[in-house]
Amino acid sequence: TSLLGLTSLIEVEGDLEITSNSALASYNGMDVLTDVSGSVVLGQNDVQDLTHLNSLTIIGGVLEVKDNDLLETISGFQMLNRVAGLENSNISDLSSITGYDLLANIDGDLIINILTSLASLDIFNFTTVSGNITITNNGTLLDLFGLENITGYNDLNTVIVASNDSLSCPPPPTISFEIDEGPCTTPVLQDCPISGTADIFVTTQVDLDSLDN
């Protein structure tokens, strides 16, 4: 029910996984943790607050925050500046993301999936995503603003935007995807050299009727 025994923990040389603890209501005790060389997995805990992880600056692996129905906001990770991948998924009550203030570079995949109460991604300040981007099954997501500053794509990126039932506008026009022949800017897909090795998928958007503008 408590992590107070970890109050002196500053660094983890490996993975940190805190999962399937139904009686755990807080990450209190991890306030001085700054560095995890492996991945961080937080899931299936009854935690409502991530602010006790605000000192974490570097995650050498993937950060996964998932499967936590009581979490209404991601307001932690305010000092985090680099991860090898980021996944926020299957959090039914998550209505806002106000953390990740300093996180600009993701050295891997970005996954936003099954956040059924989230309306916006506009808090994100990402400029580089080295892996794939997957934005799927977010029923209340209205737009993709927050991703418009991403310019550091490579020619292996796959961008999947699918099954977001409330997404009624195309991606911001300044999102660029690097293809073999050069960058293309959505939503004017007809002007893009889409014969390269990167893929762009915009599928199953029930209210999306045009990519002309």
Side-chain angles (χ1 to χ4, degrees):
T1 60
S2 171
L3 299 178
L4 290 176
L6 302 177
T7 53
S8 298
L9 184 65
I10 298 174
E11 182 178 358
V12 175
E13 295 183 356
D15 296 334
L16 173 64
E17 182 172 333
I18 304 174
T19 60
S20 304
N21 302 288
S22 59
L24 185 66
S26 171
Y27 294 122
N28 186 15
M30 309 197 71
D31 300 78
V32 299
L33 179 65
T34 61
D35 190 348
V36 177
S37 64
S39 295
V40 175
V41 181
L42 307 173
Q44 295 182 324
N45 306 306
D46 286 344
V47 172
Q48 302 180 41
D49 182 6
L50 300 179
T51 56
H52 293 289
L53 297 163
N54 277 341
S55 296
L56 193 58
T57 58
I58 297 174
I59 297 176
V62 176
L63 171 60
E64 300 180 18
V65 181
K66 60 185 182 180
D67 304 321
N68 190 334
D69 290 340
L70 297 182
L71 189 64
E72 296 182 357
T73 182
I74 294 179
S75 57
F77 307 110
Q78 293 182 352
M79 299 299 294
L80 186 65
N81 58 66
R82 197 125 198 173
V83 296
L86 176 64
E87 177 180 350
N88 293 158
S89 65
N90 197 26
I91 308 174
S92 60
D93 287 344
L94 186 72
S95 59
S96 67
I97 298 176
T98 60
Y100 307 127
D101 300 50
L102 301 180
L103 185 59
N105 302 303
I106 298 177
D107 298 328
D109 297 340
L110 170 63
I111 300 172
I112 306 295
N113 180 47
I114 318 179
L115 304 183
T116 55
S117 299
L118 186 69
S120 176
L121 303 175
D122 60 4
I123 188 62
F124 289 156
N125 297 307
F126 307 142
T127 58
T128 301
V129 177
S130 299
N132 300 324
I133 298 177
T134 303
I135 313 291
T136 52
N137 301 298
N138 305 292
T140 57
L141 186 65
L142 299 176
D143 58 59
L144 296 179
F145 291 102
L147 304 181
E148 67 268 25
N149 294 320
I150 298 176
T151 58
Y153 292 90
N154 62 53
D155 62 2
L156 297 179
N157 282 125
T158 296
V159 180
I160 301 174
V161 181
S163 301
N164 304 291
D165 292 345
S166 299
L167 190 63
S168 58
C169 66
T174 52
I175 293 181
S176 294
F177 302 91
E178 291 288 342
I179 314 296
D180 281 350
E181 294 84 353
C184 72
T185 301
T186 58
V188 191
L189 297 180
Q190 66 267 27
D191 296 330
C192 297
I194 57 174
S195 60
T197 56
D199 298 318
I200 300 174
F201 298 91
V202 181
T203 62
T204 325
Q205 314 299 330
V206 294
D207 293 324
L208 182 62
D209 59 6
S210 174
L211 292 175
D212 292 337
N213 298 313

